C-alpha cells in the first residue's frame, strides 16, 4: 500500500470488489489463502471504504507474521483512512519499532501527527522519511504542505521545487505549490501552477480536480 498525502486520507481510487468470493463466506476461506492475496484483497476493500473488512484481513496477516512491519504500516493506513487516528499512530509506532528504516511508516506517522495538529512532530518524521529515502516525493510534498500551514511559504516552495525535480506526482505538486503561491500573495505564479495542475490531473482524481478548481475560482474572484 502506498503512503498518502497529507490532509487527504480519503483520496484513493475505487476499484471493483473481486467477484470470486462471496462476502458471507470469505472470512472462513481467508484463513487458508496466501498472504499476497490477503494483502491485495485488503487493499481493494479499503479502496471501496470497507474498512472493517480490510482491518480484519490485516489482523489475520499480523497474527501470521507479528514481526512484519509492512502489515502494521498498512493497517495503520487503513485506520487513518477511516478516521481512527490513535490506532493508526499505534500501528505506525510498532512498524517503526520493528523496522526503523521503513521510510513510508515515518511519512504515514507524520500525516497522522499533522491531522492531530502536532506539526512539529510531523516535520520531524518527514525529515526522517526524506533522510531514509531522499527521492521520496510524497514526503517532500507533505513537508511542503506542513511548512505552508506554519506560514513558512518560502521553505514550502523549496520543498515543492525539489519534488518537481524528482519527476513524480506533478499534478499534486503544481496544485500544492500553486496554493502556496496563492496564500503567499504571488497570484500570477499561483494561477500558472493551478492551470498546469488541471492539465495533468487524471480522470480518476476528481477530488484533486475539484479542489484546484475551487482554489482557482477563489483567486480569480478576489
Amino acid at each position: 500500500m502506498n503512503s498518502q498525502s497529507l490532509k487527504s486520507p480519503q483520496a484513493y481510487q475505487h476499484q471493483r470488489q473481486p467477484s470470486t468470493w462471496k462476502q458471507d463466506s470469505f472470512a472462513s476461506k481467508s484463513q487458508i489463502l496466501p498472504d499476497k492475496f490477503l494483502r491485495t484483497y485488503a487493499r481493494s476493500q479499503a479502496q471501496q471504504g470497507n474498512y472493517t473488512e480490510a482491518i480484519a484481513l490485516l489482523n489475520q496477516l499480523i497474527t501470521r507474521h507479528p514481526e512484519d512491519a509492512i502489515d502494521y504500516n498498512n493497517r495503520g493506513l487503513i485506520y487513518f483512512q477511516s478516521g481512527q487516528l490513535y490506532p493508526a499512530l499505534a500501528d505506525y509506532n510498532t512498524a517503526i519499532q520493528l523496522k526503523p528504516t521503513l521510510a513510508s511508516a515515518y511519512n504515514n506517522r507524520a500525516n497522522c501527527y499533522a491531522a492531530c495538529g502536532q506539526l512539529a512532530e510531523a516535520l520531524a518524521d518527514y525529515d526522517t522519511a526524506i533522510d531514509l529515502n531522499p527521492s521520496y516525493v510524497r514526503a517532500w510534498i507533505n513537508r511542503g504542505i506542513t511548512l505552508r500551514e506554519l506560514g513558512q511559504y518560502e521553505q514550502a516552495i523549496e520543498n515543492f521545487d525539489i519534488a518537481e525535480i524528482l519527476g513524480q506526482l506533478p499534478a499534486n505538486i503544481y496544485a500544492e505549490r500553486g496554493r502556496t503561491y496563492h496564500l503567499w500573495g504571488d497570484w500570477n505564479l499561483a494561477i500558472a501552477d493551478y492551470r498546469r495542475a488541471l492539465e495533468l490531473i487524471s480522470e480518476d482524481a476528481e477530488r484533486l480536480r475539484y479542489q484546484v478548481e475551487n482554489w482557482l475560482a477563489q483567486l480569480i474572484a478576489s
Side-chain angles (χ1 to χ4, degrees):
M1 293 183 189
N2 295 329
S3 56
Q4 304 305 305
S5 299
L6 183 63
K7 297 300 184 184
S8 57
Q10 287 79 35
Y12 291 86
Q13 300 177 13
H14 289 270
Q15 300 177 356
R16 294 183 184 275
Q17 180 175 343
S19 58
T20 305
W21 302 95
K22 294 182 180 179
Q23 189 70 26
D24 58 357
S25 63
F26 184 81
S28 60
K29 293 181 178 180
S30 66
Q31 297 178 10
I32 61 173
L33 291 172
D35 296 347
K36 183 177 180 180
F37 182 90
L38 290 183
R39 291 190 180 97
T40 300
Y41 193 68
R43 180 190 305 156
S44 173
Q45 291 297 294
Q47 289 169 338
Q48 295 178 72
N50 299 326
Y51 301 122
T52 300
E53 176 73 8
I55 289 169
L57 293 169
L58 283 165
N59 288 345
Q60 289 190 37
L61 286 164
I62 288 170
T63 299
R64 292 181 186 182
H65 309 289
E67 302 301 316
D68 193 323
I70 299 296
D71 289 329
Y72 281 101
N73 188 37
N74 289 342
R75 191 175 67 176
L77 183 58
I78 296 173
Y79 277 131
F80 181 72
Q81 289 177 257
S82 64
Q84 301 180 67
L85 300 183
Y86 292 107
L89 186 60
D91 271 354
Y92 297 144
N93 287 339
T94 301
I96 289 168
Q97 182 179 10
L98 291 171
K99 189 174 182 181
T101 59
L102 186 59
S104 61
Y106 289 98
N107 177 72
N108 291 341
R109 189 173 70 175
N111 290 347
C112 200
Y113 280 138
C116 294
Q118 299 174 246
L119 300 186
E121 291 83 352
L123 284 176
D125 269 358
Y126 291 135
D127 288 347
T128 302
I130 291 168
D131 286 342
L132 291 169
N133 181 3
S135 62
Y136 198 167
V137 172
R138 291 187 185 277
W140 284 105
I141 295 172
N142 291 338
R143 188 166 71 170
I145 293 170
T146 305
L147 288 166
R148 182 179 71 210
E149 292 186 351
L150 290 168
Q152 300 178 30
Y153 299 120
E154 185 173 1
Q155 295 93 325
I157 294 295
E158 290 174 358
N159 277 256
F160 297 132
D161 288 346
I162 292 171
E164 183 184 13
I165 292 170
L166 294 172
Q168 301 174 37
L169 303 174
N172 299 75
I173 294 166
Y174 288 132
E176 299 298 348
R177 191 174 67 183
R179 181 59 174 169
T180 306
Y181 280 130
H182 184 168
L183 295 175
W184 200 11
D186 196 329
W187 291 3
N188 288 330
L189 290 177
I191 290 172
D193 270 355
Y194 284 156
R195 288 177 174 168
R196 288 176 187 168
L198 290 172
E199 290 173 359
L200 294 169
I201 294 172
S202 60
E203 293 181 359
D204 55 3
E206 287 303 314
R207 183 184 180 90
L208 179 60
R209 179 175 296 279
Y210 178 76
Q211 186 175 58
V212 175
E213 287 174 345
N214 278 346
W215 286 341
L216 181 58
Q218 291 170 12
L219 181 52
I220 292 175
S222 299

